[in-house]
Structure formats: C-alpha cells, structure tokens
Amino acid sequence: MLLEENLRRVEQNIEAAAERGEHAAEAVTLLAVSKTKPASAIRELYEAGQRDFGENYVQELREKAAELPKDIRWHMIGHLQRNKVKYIAEYVSMIHSVDSLALAETIEKEAAKYDRIIPVLVEVNVAGEDTKFGVLPEDADALVRQISALPHVAVRGYMTSAPYTDTPEENRVYFRKLRELSVDTHLKNYNNVNMGVLSMGMSNDYEVAVEEGATLVRVGTSIFGARQYVNR
Ligand SMILES: *Cc1c(COP(=O)(O)O)cnc(C)c1O
C-alpha cells in the first residue's frame, strides 16, 4: 500500500523533528489534507489508522463525509464563506480558517442550532502576504478575545500557512512568531479559550514547523501525491 507507506514516512519525519525541537511527538496531530483526492484514497488511509482529514471546499467535504466512516474527524482548512457554514456545522471537527468576527458569529449561530460547540482556530497571515487570508499578527489577539464571548465557538489556537518556498528554513521565523503570539494569547487567560493547537506546516515545511512547536501539521502532497486541478 503506497499511501500507507507515505503516511508512515511522514509520521517518522514528525517524530524525528519533534525530537530535534525537544517537543513530545505524541502531541503532534497529523492532518491528512485530502482535497481533490478521491474517497477511495481516504479510505485506504483510514484503514491504515488515519482519522484526521482536512478539506478546503465545503461541497467536497460534504460529499466525502456522507460516504465515508462516521468516526473520521473532518477539518475545514480552506477559506470559508459565511453562507456555507450551515452545511458543515453539524459535524465538522474543527474550522482552521476563522479570520473575522462576522464569520465566528455565523459559526456561533449555526453551532447553536445543533446544540454543539465548534472548535476553531484563528488564521493568522504571519508573513503579511497580500495574497493570503488571515488576520495580521497584531490583530489576532483582539479577534480571539472577541470570539471568546461566543458560547458555541471555542478558540483552540492559531493557524497559519507560511509562504511557499523551496527553502523551508526561510519559514522558521514565521513559525516561531506564531508560537510566540500563541503564548502571549495563552497568558491572557481568556474565558472559553485554550491555545493548545498550533496548526502550521505543510508538505514542504512541516518538519521545520514541528521543530518550532507545531501541534498540528497539514500535509497533503507528501501523503497523497501531487494534486491535479480540473477547471476549478
Ligand atoms: C492544500 C493545503 C495544505 C496541504 O498542502 P501540501 O503542500 O499539499 O501539503 C495545507 N494547508 C492548507 C490551508 C491547504 O490549503
């Protein structure tokens, strides 16, 4: 099974990186990013023990969730439009891409309908790239504080996508910055907020992210192979 081999290799790399960074490898969750990949590939990894999967598009997440085992934890990692929250509110495990109070308020409303609390991460544009979603680092803490007042939304930490680079070492500074930001917010002790999740690192830079304290890495290509986009 090729996909399982990829999964095991990434798990081993995470373990080695955690050791280098003097972090506990067990504290790092590997999120398999399955966007554009068929349900059959997800099932193969499910059978190898993987339970956390990340998707970027609401429609695709819904279709896969409907046909795959119910104990899969689905993470929404892509930019989320407010009018689509209702389609995933019943079962989504975590929303990584909260970058406005308006979006958090919509999640609040939809989560309340199902009488559940939805764990979310605040997405931070650490490098201040024009093309990226997310709040600027200097605005992140204030957004967490505002969201903390919403009873059906639970902030669990920060998420970032570092710049694309062939030299992952260049992103170390951004991972370090997000970790520091997370510690600062943690020390504020906001009600209903827990900063235990630090979602950072993708196929090309997850090892550096783990060395810098990531507790959740989002890996697609290194597990599933390259993506092919058809007229998206
Ligand atoms: C696609 C995507 C990933 C995975 O990227 P790879 O480079 O394939 O590992 C991680 N995070 C987000 C937000 C993504 O959109």
mmCIF file of all heavy atoms in Angstrom, residues 158-188:
data_model
loop_
_atom_site.group_PDB
_atom_site.id
_atom_site.type_symbol
_atom_site.label_atom_id
_atom_site.label_comp_id
_atom_site.label_asym_id
_atom_site.label_seq_id
_atom_site.Cartn_x
_atom_site.Cartn_y
_atom_site.Cartn_z
ATOM 1 N N TYR A 158 -4.055 28.999 17.061
ATOM 2 C CA TYR A 158 -3.786 29.741 15.829
ATOM 3 C C TYR A 158 -3.400 28.803 14.702
ATOM 4 O O TYR A 158 -2.866 27.717 14.922
ATOM 5 C CB TYR A 158 -2.639 30.731 16.045
ATOM 6 C CG TYR A 158 -2.981 31.953 16.882
ATOM 7 C CD1 TYR A 158 -2.114 32.401 17.868
ATOM 8 C CD2 TYR A 158 -4.162 32.659 16.657
ATOM 9 C CE1 TYR A 158 -2.410 33.531 18.627
ATOM 10 C CE2 TYR A 158 -4.466 33.791 17.412
ATOM 11 C CZ TYR A 158 -3.591 34.221 18.394
ATOM 12 O OH TYR A 158 -3.884 35.339 19.137
ATOM 13 N N MET A 159 -3.659 29.266 13.481
ATOM 14 C CA MET A 159 -3.273 28.535 12.277
ATOM 15 C C MET A 159 -2.593 29.504 11.328
ATOM 16 O O MET A 159 -2.946 30.682 11.276
ATOM 17 C CB MET A 159 -4.535 27.971 11.630
ATOM 18 C CG MET A 159 -4.351 27.281 10.306
ATOM 19 S SD MET A 159 -4.471 28.366 8.854
ATOM 20 C CE MET A 159 -5.174 27.225 7.672
ATOM 21 N N THR A 160 -1.598 29.006 10.589
ATOM 22 C CA THR A 160 -1.030 29.824 9.524
ATOM 23 C C THR A 160 -0.580 28.966 8.354
ATOM 24 O O THR A 160 -0.290 27.780 8.523
ATOM 25 C CB THR A 160 0.164 30.678 10.009
ATOM 26 O OG1 THR A 160 0.388 31.736 9.047
ATOM 27 C CG2 THR A 160 1.451 29.879 10.137
ATOM 28 N N SER A 161 -0.577 29.570 7.181
ATOM 29 C CA SER A 161 0.087 28.996 6.017
ATOM 30 C C SER A 161 1.265 29.908 5.716
ATOM 31 O O SER A 161 1.081 31.060 5.330
ATOM 32 C CB SER A 161 -0.845 28.982 4.802
ATOM 33 O OG SER A 161 -1.951 28.144 5.042
ATOM 34 N N ALA A 162 2.455 29.400 5.906
ATOM 35 C CA ALA A 162 3.645 30.201 5.642
ATOM 36 C C ALA A 162 3.819 30.358 4.137
ATOM 37 O O ALA A 162 3.214 29.630 3.361
ATOM 38 C CB ALA A 162 4.857 29.521 6.282
ATOM 39 N N PRO A 163 4.645 31.308 3.707
ATOM 40 C CA PRO A 163 4.853 31.497 2.265
ATOM 41 C C PRO A 163 5.354 30.236 1.585
ATOM 42 O O PRO A 163 6.050 29.430 2.196
ATOM 43 C CB PRO A 163 5.932 32.591 2.223
ATOM 44 C CG PRO A 163 5.827 33.306 3.516
ATOM 45 C CD PRO A 163 5.403 32.278 4.516
ATOM 46 N N TYR A 164 5.009 30.094 0.296
ATOM 47 C CA TYR A 164 5.553 28.962 -0.442
ATOM 48 C C TYR A 164 7.038 29.194 -0.674
ATOM 49 O O TYR A 164 7.465 30.266 -1.080
ATOM 50 C CB TYR A 164 4.851 28.749 -1.789
ATOM 51 C CG TYR A 164 5.482 27.553 -2.447
ATOM 52 C CD1 TYR A 164 5.116 26.275 -2.034
ATOM 53 C CD2 TYR A 164 6.542 27.698 -3.335
ATOM 54 C CE1 TYR A 164 5.766 25.165 -2.525
ATOM 55 C CE2 TYR A 164 7.207 26.587 -3.831
ATOM 56 C CZ TYR A 164 6.815 25.324 -3.423
ATOM 57 O OH TYR A 164 7.479 24.230 -3.888
ATOM 58 N N THR A 165 7.841 28.195 -0.399
ATOM 59 C CA THR A 165 9.280 28.343 -0.599
ATOM 60 C C THR A 165 9.917 26.986 -0.854
ATOM 61 O O THR A 165 9.420 25.964 -0.388
ATOM 62 C CB THR A 165 9.957 28.977 0.643
ATOM 63 O OG1 THR A 165 11.367 28.889 0.499
ATOM 64 C CG2 THR A 165 9.571 28.257 1.922
ATOM 65 N N ASP A 166 10.997 26.976 -1.604
ATOM 66 C CA ASP A 166 11.771 25.748 -1.789
ATOM 67 C C ASP A 166 12.779 25.572 -0.667
ATOM 68 O O ASP A 166 13.443 24.560 -0.574
ATOM 69 C CB ASP A 166 12.517 25.783 -3.131
ATOM 70 C CG ASP A 166 11.552 25.673 -4.302
ATOM 71 O OD1 ASP A 166 10.549 24.943 -4.174
ATOM 72 O OD2 ASP A 166 11.805 26.323 -5.334
ATOM 73 N N THR A 167 12.885 26.602 0.155
ATOM 74 C CA THR A 167 13.846 26.576 1.258
ATOM 75 C C THR A 167 13.078 26.697 2.574
ATOM 76 O O THR A 167 12.913 27.787 3.101
ATOM 77 C CB THR A 167 14.839 27.765 1.144
ATOM 78 O OG1 THR A 167 15.176 27.941 -0.245
ATOM 79 C CG2 THR A 167 16.090 27.535 1.941
ATOM 80 N N PRO A 168 12.597 25.577 3.110
ATOM 81 C CA PRO A 168 11.725 25.607 4.297
ATOM 82 C C PRO A 168 12.344 26.362 5.463
ATOM 83 O O PRO A 168 11.622 26.969 6.261
ATOM 84 C CB PRO A 168 11.524 24.130 4.646
ATOM 85 C CG PRO A 168 12.313 23.332 3.667
ATOM 86 C CD PRO A 168 12.782 24.211 2.582
ATOM 87 N N GLU A 169 13.661 26.351 5.541
ATOM 88 C CA GLU A 169 14.342 27.044 6.628
ATOM 89 C C GLU A 169 13.923 28.525 6.691
ATOM 90 O O GLU A 169 13.879 29.130 7.760
ATOM 91 C CB GLU A 169 15.858 26.897 6.421
ATOM 92 C CG GLU A 169 16.706 27.196 7.633
ATOM 93 C CD GLU A 169 16.350 26.358 8.855
ATOM 94 O OE1 GLU A 169 16.122 25.134 8.717
ATOM 95 O OE2 GLU A 169 16.283 26.948 9.942
ATOM 96 N N GLU A 170 13.588 29.096 5.529
ATOM 97 C CA GLU A 170 13.164 30.502 5.487
ATOM 98 C C GLU A 170 11.879 30.751 6.273
ATOM 99 O O GLU A 170 11.587 31.885 6.653
ATOM 100 C CB GLU A 170 12.927 30.939 4.032
ATOM 101 C CG GLU A 170 14.196 31.086 3.228
ATOM 102 C CD GLU A 170 13.910 31.432 1.764
ATOM 103 O OE1 GLU A 170 12.720 31.484 1.371
ATOM 104 O OE2 GLU A 170 14.876 31.630 1.024
ATOM 105 N N ASN A 171 11.089 29.691 6.472
ATOM 106 C CA ASN A 171 9.816 29.883 7.173
ATOM 107 C C ASN A 171 9.927 29.732 8.688
ATOM 108 O O ASN A 171 8.968 29.979 9.404
ATOM 109 C CB ASN A 171 8.761 28.922 6.635
ATOM 110 C CG ASN A 171 8.202 29.393 5.296
ATOM 111 O OD1 ASN A 171 8.315 30.577 4.970
ATOM 112 N ND2 ASN A 171 7.609 28.493 4.538
ATOM 113 N N ARG A 172 11.108 29.357 9.158
ATOM 114 C CA ARG A 172 11.275 29.144 10.599
ATOM 115 C C ARG A 172 10.867 30.395 11.380
ATOM 116 O O ARG A 172 10.192 30.331 12.403
ATOM 117 C CB ARG A 172 12.725 28.754 10.917
ATOM 118 C CG ARG A 172 12.945 28.380 12.382
ATOM 119 C CD ARG A 172 14.392 27.976 12.655
ATOM 120 N NE ARG A 172 14.822 26.794 11.931
ATOM 121 C CZ ARG A 172 14.567 25.531 12.302
ATOM 122 N NH1 ARG A 172 13.895 25.291 13.414
ATOM 123 N NH2 ARG A 172 15.002 24.513 11.585
ATOM 124 N N VAL A 173 11.245 31.543 10.878
ATOM 125 C CA VAL A 173 10.977 32.798 11.572
ATOM 126 C C VAL A 173 9.468 33.026 11.741
ATOM 127 O O VAL A 173 9.002 33.517 12.774
ATOM 128 C CB VAL A 173 11.666 33.970 10.844
ATOM 129 C CG1 VAL A 173 11.258 34.050 9.388
ATOM 130 C CG2 VAL A 173 11.394 35.290 11.513
ATOM 131 N N TYR A 174 8.676 32.607 10.744
ATOM 132 C CA TYR A 174 7.218 32.784 10.826
ATOM 133 C C TYR A 174 6.596 31.798 11.817
ATOM 134 O O TYR A 174 5.675 32.142 12.554
ATOM 135 C CB TYR A 174 6.581 32.620 9.447
ATOM 136 C CG TYR A 174 7.104 33.628 8.455
ATOM 137 C CD1 TYR A 174 7.737 33.224 7.286
ATOM 138 C CD2 TYR A 174 6.994 34.995 8.715
ATOM 139 C CE1 TYR A 174 8.236 34.152 6.388
ATOM 140 C CE2 TYR A 174 7.492 35.930 7.823
ATOM 141 C CZ TYR A 174 8.111 35.506 6.668
ATOM 142 O OH TYR A 174 8.608 36.420 5.789
ATOM 143 N N PHE A 175 7.106 30.566 11.818
ATOM 144 C CA PHE A 175 6.590 29.572 12.769
ATOM 145 C C PHE A 175 6.895 30.005 14.195
ATOM 146 O O PHE A 175 6.070 29.889 15.095
ATOM 147 C CB PHE A 175 7.194 28.192 12.483
ATOM 148 C CG PHE A 175 6.820 27.635 11.131
ATOM 149 C CD1 PHE A 175 7.728 26.920 10.367
ATOM 150 C CD2 PHE A 175 5.545 27.834 10.618
ATOM 151 C CE1 PHE A 175 7.381 26.402 9.126
ATOM 152 C CE2 PHE A 175 5.189 27.321 9.368
ATOM 153 C CZ PHE A 175 6.115 26.605 8.622
ATOM 154 N N ARG A 176 8.097 30.527 14.380
ATOM 155 C CA ARG A 176 8.486 30.978 15.709
ATOM 156 C C ARG A 176 7.600 32.133 16.155
ATOM 157 O O ARG A 176 7.139 32.208 17.290
ATOM 158 C CB ARG A 176 9.961 31.420 15.666
ATOM 159 C CG ARG A 176 10.559 31.611 17.028
ATOM 160 C CD ARG A 176 12.057 31.678 16.952
ATOM 161 N NE ARG A 176 12.668 30.395 16.620
ATOM 162 C CZ ARG A 176 13.973 30.227 16.388
ATOM 163 N NH1 ARG A 176 14.793 31.249 16.445
ATOM 164 N NH2 ARG A 176 14.449 29.032 16.108
ATOM 165 N N LYS A 177 7.320 33.020 15.210
ATOM 166 C CA LYS A 177 6.495 34.189 15.524
ATOM 167 C C LYS A 177 5.079 33.769 15.926
ATOM 168 O O LYS A 177 4.503 34.303 16.881
ATOM 169 C CB LYS A 177 6.448 35.105 14.296
ATOM 170 C CG LYS A 177 5.724 36.405 14.545
ATOM 171 C CD LYS A 177 6.032 37.413 13.447
ATOM 172 C CE LYS A 177 5.201 38.668 13.638
ATOM 173 N NZ LYS A 177 5.402 39.659 12.599
ATOM 174 N N LEU A 178 4.514 32.780 15.225
ATOM 175 C CA LEU A 178 3.158 32.340 15.560
ATOM 176 C C LEU A 178 3.139 31.676 16.937
ATOM 177 O O LEU A 178 2.208 31.846 17.712
ATOM 178 C CB LEU A 178 2.611 31.384 14.500
ATOM 179 C CG LEU A 178 1.096 31.155 14.632
ATOM 180 C CD1 LEU A 178 0.306 32.418 14.313
ATOM 181 C CD2 LEU A 178 0.611 30.003 13.761
ATOM 182 N N ARG A 179 4.186 30.931 17.230
ATOM 183 C CA ARG A 179 4.259 30.284 18.543
ATOM 184 C C ARG A 179 4.297 31.340 19.648
ATOM 185 O O ARG A 179 3.606 31.253 20.658
ATOM 186 C CB ARG A 179 5.509 29.399 18.602
ATOM 187 C CG ARG A 179 5.810 28.867 19.966
ATOM 188 C CD ARG A 179 5.931 27.360 19.970
ATOM 189 N NE ARG A 179 5.834 26.806 21.316
ATOM 190 C CZ ARG A 179 6.897 26.467 22.029
ATOM 191 N NH1 ARG A 179 8.106 26.605 21.533
ATOM 192 N NH2 ARG A 179 6.742 25.967 23.232
ATOM 193 N N GLU A 180 5.096 32.382 19.432
ATOM 194 C CA GLU A 180 5.189 33.443 20.441
ATOM 195 C C GLU A 180 3.846 34.142 20.624
ATOM 196 O O GLU A 180 3.415 34.424 21.741
ATOM 197 C CB GLU A 180 6.269 34.466 20.042
ATOM 198 C CG GLU A 180 7.677 33.925 20.210
ATOM 199 C CD GLU A 180 8.752 34.769 19.525
ATOM 200 O OE1 GLU A 180 8.401 35.816 18.909
ATOM 201 O OE2 GLU A 180 9.928 34.365 19.586
ATOM 202 N N LEU A 181 3.191 34.364 19.508
ATOM 203 C CA LEU A 181 1.871 35.003 19.541
ATOM 204 C C LEU A 181 0.892 34.140 20.348
ATOM 205 O O LEU A 181 0.090 34.637 21.137
ATOM 206 C CB LEU A 181 1.381 35.140 18.093
ATOM 207 C CG LEU A 181 0.348 36.188 17.758
ATOM 208 C CD1 LEU A 181 0.851 37.562 18.107
ATOM 209 C CD2 LEU A 181 0.034 36.104 16.253
ATOM 210 N N SER A 182 0.994 32.836 20.129
ATOM 211 C CA SER A 182 0.114 31.897 20.807
ATOM 212 C C SER A 182 0.358 31.898 22.323
ATOM 213 O O SER A 182 -0.583 31.880 23.127
ATOM 214 C CB SER A 182 0.356 30.506 20.210
ATOM 215 O OG SER A 182 -0.269 29.534 20.969
ATOM 216 N N VAL A 183 1.630 31.951 22.701
ATOM 217 C CA VAL A 183 1.966 32.002 24.129
ATOM 218 C C VAL A 183 1.425 33.291 24.742
ATOM 219 O O VAL A 183 0.824 33.288 25.824
ATOM 220 C CB VAL A 183 3.496 31.882 24.340
ATOM 221 C CG1 VAL A 183 3.879 32.190 25.782
ATOM 222 C CG2 VAL A 183 3.987 30.496 23.947
ATOM 223 N N ASP A 184 1.587 34.413 24.034
ATOM 224 C CA ASP A 184 1.077 35.699 24.534
ATOM 225 C C ASP A 184 -0.422 35.629 24.776
ATOM 226 O O ASP A 184 -0.928 36.077 25.813
ATOM 227 C CB ASP A 184 1.351 36.828 23.521
ATOM 228 C CG ASP A 184 2.832 37.190 23.456
ATOM 229 O OD1 ASP A 184 3.590 36.760 24.361
ATOM 230 O OD2 ASP A 184 3.221 37.887 22.505
ATOM 231 N N THR A 185 -1.154 35.068 23.812
ATOM 232 C CA THR A 185 -2.613 34.988 23.962
ATOM 233 C C THR A 185 -2.982 34.023 25.089
ATOM 234 O O THR A 185 -3.892 34.292 25.871
ATOM 235 C CB THR A 185 -3.260 34.556 22.633
ATOM 236 O OG1 THR A 185 -2.945 35.531 21.632
ATOM 237 C CG2 THR A 185 -4.772 34.457 22.765
ATOM 238 N N HIS A 186 -2.261 32.923 25.168
ATOM 239 C CA HIS A 186 -2.496 31.954 26.252
ATOM 240 C C HIS A 186 -2.411 32.635 27.618
ATOM 241 O O HIS A 186 -3.234 32.400 28.510
ATOM 242 C CB HIS A 186 -1.481 30.815 26.148
ATOM 243 C CG HIS A 186 -1.416 29.941 27.343
ATOM 244 N ND1 HIS A 186 -2.408 29.018 27.642
ATOM 245 C CD2 HIS A 186 -0.513 29.861 28.357
ATOM 246 C CE1 HIS A 186 -2.097 28.408 28.785
ATOM 247 N NE2 HIS A 186 -0.966 28.900 29.229
ATOM 248 N N LEU A 187 -1.423 33.524 27.768
ATOM 249 C CA LEU A 187 -1.200 34.168 29.062
ATOM 250 C C LEU A 187 -2.318 35.144 29.435
ATOM 251 O O LEU A 187 -2.442 35.534 30.590
ATOM 252 C CB LEU A 187 0.160 34.890 29.075
ATOM 253 C CG LEU A 187 1.374 33.954 29.019
ATOM 254 C CD1 LEU A 187 2.675 34.740 28.860
ATOM 255 C CD2 LEU A 187 1.436 33.078 30.271
ATOM 256 N N LYS A 188 -3.142 35.512 28.460
ATOM 257 C CA LYS A 188 -4.261 36.409 28.761
ATOM 258 C C LYS A 188 -5.392 35.680 29.471
ATOM 259 O O LYS A 188 -6.300 36.298 30.019
ATOM 260 C CB LYS A 188 -4.811 37.031 27.467
ATOM 261 C CG LYS A 188 -3.788 37.802 26.650
ATOM 262 C CD LYS A 188 -3.701 39.243 27.109
ATOM 263 C CE LYS A 188 -2.667 40.012 26.312
ATOM 264 N NZ LYS A 188 -3.075 40.319 24.944
#
